[in-house]
């Protein structure tokens, strides 16, 4: 068995094309384009690349973006005051503060300062709580993007034994909530998990988001499983790889996401989708 690839790049391009059409339709009837404010604190190379990709995607689909670049030594209050200004600006529909923040800033305080209805990253406790209570509004981008990939590929996941490796607030925990909402029996593995290989081996649907290259060995994968690798790791030789041993895993799985070209593009496209939805929800309220 050789797994079929879940082509996140192609699926994301189709999603962006759909969003471009929806925005053009808005403009044709006299409505405005959505507006996303992107805040970058410092010059972390990886963060700068991610922000650049997000701003490029905005341009491609006709979504208006505002750039706010603060120095790494900016005071926390400076960032909070900027968020307050963006919260009160009726022409701003989405606010994204690129993580991670410098160590002197309280990430939780920053996330909670964003208006939940403009929280297009989906990290605010209000939005996570809505997802937990099966009433989602703005959903975290990576888990939502993964669900879009699975749906678009035509995979039926209701009733599957799903395992999430990694319990971060950004991916692992909201991913588990998404899978529960979709009708999976869901297990979350973390640093305290006693037998990771056994848990992975039970998974009919496996999502790995640990940020640890090659953590999940290919021989652990259950035959016929669906494998989603969220990890993006750069090795010393410059090669980019995921958290799953891809070459062996693809011989056992039925479906697998590549790295790169799998989950990453979906996260950016879903951010665009959330920004448009934030505007539409505001107009409907």
């Amino acid at each position: 068995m050789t797994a079929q690839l879940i082509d996140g790049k192609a699926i994301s391009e189709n999603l962006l094309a759909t969003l471009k059409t929806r925005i053009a339709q808005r403009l044709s009837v006299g409505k405005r384009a959505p507006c996303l404010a992107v805040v970058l604190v410092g010059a972390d190379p990886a963060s700068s690349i991610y922000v650049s990709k997000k701003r490029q995607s905005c341009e491609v689909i006709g979504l208006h973006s505002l750039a706010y670049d603060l120095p790494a030594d900016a005071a926390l209050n400076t960032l909070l005051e900027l968020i307050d200004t963006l919260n009160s600006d009726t022409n701003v529909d989405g606010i994204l503060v690129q993580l991670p923040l410098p160590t002197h800033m309280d990430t939780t305080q920053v996330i909670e300062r964003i208006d939940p209805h403009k929280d297009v990253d989906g990290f605010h406790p209000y939005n996570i709580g809505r997802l937990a209570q099966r009433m989602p509004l703005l959903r975290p981008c990576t888990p939502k993007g993964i669900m879009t990939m699975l749906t678009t590929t035509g995979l039926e996941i209701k009733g599957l034994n799903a395992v999430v490796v990694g319990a971060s607030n950004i991916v692992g925990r909201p991913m588990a909530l998404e899978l529960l909402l979709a009708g999976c029996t869901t297990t979350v593995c973390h640093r305290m998990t006693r037998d990771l290989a056994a848990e992975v081996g039970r998974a009919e649907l496996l999502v790995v988001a640990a940020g640890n290259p090659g953590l999940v060995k290919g021989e652990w994968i259950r035959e016929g499983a669906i494998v989603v690798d969220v990890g993006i790791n750069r090795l010393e030789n410059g090669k980019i790889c995921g958290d799953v041993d891809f070459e062996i895993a693809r011989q056992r799985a039925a479906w697998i996401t590549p790295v790169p070209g799998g989950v990453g593009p979906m996260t950016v496209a879903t951010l665009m989708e959330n920004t448009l939805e934030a505007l539409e929800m505001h107009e409907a309220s």
Side-chain angles (χ1 to χ4, degrees):
M1 174 187 293
T2 300
Q4 297 187 66
L5 293 183
I6 303 175
D7 191 345
K9 186 172 186 295
I11 296 170
S12 70
E13 288 172 353
N14 288 337
L15 175 55
L16 289 173
T18 299
L19 295 173
K20 183 176 182 178
T21 299
R22 288 170 60 186
I23 292 172
Q25 289 172 342
R26 289 182 56 85
L27 296 176
S28 70
V29 296
K31 295 183 178 180
R32 67 173 177 84
C35 178
L36 172 65
V38 181
V39 181
L40 177 63
V41 184
D44 176 75
S47 292
S48 297
I49 291 170
Y50 292 143
V51 165
S52 176
K53 289 181 178 178
K54 290 165 184 175
R55 289 169 179 166
Q56 288 171 10
S57 293
C58 288
E59 292 179 13
V60 167
I61 67 172
L63 191 152
H64 184 46
S65 68
L66 302 173
Y68 297 90
D69 296 342
L70 303 181
D73 60 355
L76 174 60
N77 279 343
T78 300
L79 176 56
L80 295 178
E81 288 170 4
L82 173 58
I83 292 171
D84 289 342
T85 299
L86 297 173
N87 282 341
S88 61
D89 188 337
T90 57
N91 289 315
V92 171
D93 305 298
I95 302 170
L96 180 145
V97 178
Q98 182 65 41
L99 303 178
L101 291 169
T103 54
H104 69 281
M105 290 188 172
D106 183 339
T107 299
T108 299
Q109 188 177 358
V110 170
I111 290 172
E112 291 186 337
R113 193 66 162 246
I114 298 170
D115 181 341
H117 299 94
K118 297 187 179 188
D119 167 41
V120 287
D121 255 339
F123 296 159
H124 194 287
Y126 174 82
N127 284 316
I128 295 294
R130 295 277 310 203
L131 179 59
Q133 294 188 357
R134 296 177 285 182
M135 301 181 296
L137 287 177
L138 293 174
R139 295 151 59 190
C141 295
T142 298
K144 182 183 177 185
I146 291 170
M147 299 308 294
T148 300
M149 275 201 304
L150 296 174
T151 301
T152 303
T153 308
L155 297 172
E156 178 55 62
I157 66 171
K158 186 179 294 184
L160 294 187
N161 287 326
V163 173
V164 179
V165 178
S168 71
N169 290 342
I170 293 173
V171 181
R173 292 169 190 264
M175 188 73 243
L177 294 173
E178 287 281 5
L179 293 170
L180 280 172
L181 193 59
C184 295
T185 301
T186 306
T187 300
V188 179
C189 298
H190 42 76
R191 286 176 296 175
M192 306 302 173
T193 298
R194 288 178 294 181
D195 191 344
L196 182 60
E199 298 294 346
V200 169
R202 293 191 306 104
E204 296 169 291
L205 169 56
L206 176 68
V207 180
V208 185
N212 188 339
L215 171 68
V216 172
K217 309 307 178 188
E219 57 267 24
W220 296 355
I221 303 299
R222 174 175 174 155
E223 292 216 4
I226 303 164
V227 178
V228 178
D229 191 348
V230 183
I232 302 178
N233 310 286
R234 186 178 294 277
L235 303 180
E236 289 184 1
N237 62 9
K239 181 182 177 182
I240 294 176
C241 70
D243 292 348
V244 177
D245 181 358
F246 179 81
E247 292 302 330
I248 298 176
R250 73 183 304 188
Q251 301 304 319
R252 298 179 62 82
W255 294 86
I256 192 168
T257 60
V259 178
V263 175
M266 289 302 303
T267 299
V268 177
T270 303
L271 173 68
M272 306 296 112
E273 182 181 38
N274 276 357
T275 305
L276 176 55
E277 289 182 356
L279 171 56
E280 291 175 340
M281 285 188 283
H282 176 72
E283 289 175 336
S285 63

